[in-house]
Amino acid sequence: MSEFKASSFSDEFGSSGPDIVGLTTFTSPYYFVPPSGSTTERPSSPPPGMLRFNTDIGRLEVWRNDHWATILGESPNLGNHLVTNSAGGTGTRAVWGGGYSPGSVNIMDYVSVPTLGNAQDFGNLGVASYSFSACGSATRGLFSGYAPTGANIYVITFASTGDAIDSGADLSAGRAYSNALSNSTRGVIFGGSISPSNTNIIDYVTIASLSNAQDFGDLVAARSQVKGCASPVRGLMMGGQQPGLTNIEYITISTTGNAQDYGDLSSGRGQGGCVSSATRGVHMGGTPAAAPAAILNTIEFVTIATTGNTQDFGDLSRTNSRDGGAACSSTRGVFGGGDPNASPYPKTNSIDFITIATTGNSSDFGDLTDARNHVNACSNGHGGL
């Protein structure tokens, strides 16, 4: 075994450092620079605990022996975390887009998920419509697929406020009532309605460098109003309307291929909401079939890396949650908007929250800027990042 020796070190000021011979522990009061590179340049067989800087997403990541986990820091320009209100807090930002109020709206509003309080105006979507799909990376949010057959993909930057921008990229087919999930690099849009029937399409896009969506594969069952969430490795698609499906399906986000059966919800439903940490997926609310079916306030969860049926988490604090929008940080889920699925369909602006790692009923977070249903949401700190 040869001896390791390194010499002629210097710091940023040109001062010389010690020679290193044999086994050496390095400490510094200043900094160290880890290896860096793009997502495609990740090592093929890294040791557990390897740390690197991903230049595609601008964040540190660590190899957890089965996937790269992004190390999340404070989101920039999101205000003072000591101020207890949804616009002034730092950390993960959730943005709701579009909806029906009555009539289609192009509004977006946002909260800082770690805080409590009412939502604030973010800007306008590129089109007044409803039933958008929504997903996000650590920096960008995507809204796409809207009533009746929208194919445009609109982009926001979470750290700022302002109107969404038409990316110029489109879904493979325009559709309404689709949904989406994402990891740090890829957004996956699935299901939806292309009149007069539902579709099993799964598309994907690279969030940082948008071009037209590409074919990922197919859902097991064609369905609309299905909800999704993700870990950094795996995406789950829960429920849907065909009507009232129990199916949970899963994909591996970094690959392509058809979805596979995961398990079932406790009962068939669509038009609910999904949130996740890196390990747990949570489904909230929904309706079992077309009106005048009752709203479910059930909250259920699964462990994403396994397969199987959902377990009871608790209950939503309200039963007017049909077609609200859900988003999350890695620890907290928020669910805003909806209606009671009964004439005259009064819209709500209520936002509930849960703590993903525990179980229990939801609590009041605050209010959206406008009462509406058929709304969706995304965030820059969810469990898929």
Side-chain angles (χ1 to χ4, degrees):
M1 179 176 177
S2 60
E3 181 180 79
F4 171 82
K5 182 176 181 179
S7 60
S8 301
F9 284 99
S10 63
D11 60 23
E12 62 182 316
F13 306 108
S15 302
S16 61
D19 293 349
I20 299 175
V21 179
L23 181 64
T24 302
T25 299
F26 172 77
T27 61
S28 171
Y30 302 107
Y31 62 85
F32 82 100
V33 179
S36 65
S38 67
T39 299
T40 58
E41 293 171 331
R42 286 169 170 166
S44 58
S45 300
M50 179 179 180
L51 184 72
R52 70 190 295 272
F53 182 80
N54 188 315
T55 55
D56 285 341
I57 61 174
R59 288 184 178 274
L60 290 170
E61 57 186 7
V62 62
W63 178 248
R64 295 183 60 181
N65 210 29
D66 61 350
H67 71 276
W68 287 100
T70 304
I71 300 175
L72 295 175
E74 182 177 293
S75 298
N77 305 323
L78 299 192
N80 179 0
H81 72 285
L82 299 176
V83 178
T84 308
N85 65 77
S86 60
T90 56
T92 297
R93 178 174 280 187
V95 181
W96 284 262
Y100 197 84
S101 189
S104 300
V105 299
N106 69 349
I107 61 176
M108 293 185 290
D109 41 16
Y110 73 98
V111 300
S112 289
V113 178
T115 65
L116 297 174
N118 295 334
Q120 304 292 318
D121 178 59
F122 189 94
N124 293 326
L125 272 169
V127 61
S129 193
Y130 57 93
S131 75
F132 285 86
S133 66
C135 64
S137 68
T139 56
R140 273 183 160 186
L142 307 182
F143 290 90
S144 60
Y146 47 90
T149 54
N152 307 59
I153 302 174
Y154 294 93
V155 181
I156 62 168
T157 301
F158 284 110
S160 65
T161 58
D163 296 345
I165 298 171
D166 188 341
S167 69
D170 294 327
L171 300 179
S172 64
R175 54 198 188 269
Y177 299 107
S178 61
N179 215 298
L181 56 86
S182 59
N183 62 10
S184 60
T185 57
R186 178 179 281 188
V188 180
I189 304 95
F190 47 88
S193 175
I194 304 175
S195 183
S197 59
N198 294 333
T199 180
N200 64 354
I201 293 172
I202 309 176
D203 287 344
Y204 76 94
V205 294
T206 301
I207 298 173
S209 56
L210 282 171
S211 57
N212 288 338
Q214 301 179 60
D215 179 56
F216 186 101
D218 295 325
L219 293 169
V220 174
R223 49 186 166 151
S224 65
Q225 299 165 336
V226 56
K227 300 301 179 178
C229 61
S231 72
V233 176
R234 178 179 279 188
L236 301 185
M237 294 83 82
M238 299 190 183
Q241 295 290 57
Q242 203 190 36
L245 291 171
T246 62
N247 304 51
I248 305 173
E249 302 174 21
Y250 76 95
I251 57 170
T252 301
I253 301 172
S254 62
T255 66
T256 58
N258 295 337
Q260 301 179 61
D261 181 61
Y262 180 99
D264 292 302
L265 298 167
S266 64
S267 61
R269 74 199 71 163
Q271 301 175 292
C274 275
V275 296
S276 64
S277 66
T279 56
R280 175 179 281 190
V282 182
H283 186 281
M284 300 179 281
T287 180
I295 292 292
L296 300 172
N297 67 345
T298 308
I299 308 176
E300 301 174 357
F301 76 95
V302 294
T303 301
I304 298 174
T306 66
T307 58
N309 298 336
T310 56
Q311 301 178 59
D312 181 59
F313 185 101
D315 294 320
L316 284 170
S317 65
R318 54 192 175 91
T319 55
N320 57 355
S321 61
R322 183 184 75 112
D323 252 334
C328 60
S329 69
S330 60
T331 58
R332 175 184 279 189
V334 290
F335 186 63
D339 72 37
N341 199 28
S343 182
Y345 302 98
K347 314 303 184 286
T348 183
N349 62 356
S350 297
I351 306 172
D352 288 358
F353 78 94
I354 60 168
T355 301
I356 299 172
T358 66
T359 57
N361 298 336
S362 70
S363 300
D364 180 60
F365 183 100
D367 295 324
L368 297 173
T369 61
D370 186 63
R372 60 199 193 271
N373 64 359
H374 297 298
V375 61
N376 218 330
C378 56
S379 76
N380 60 343
H382 56 82
L385 302 180

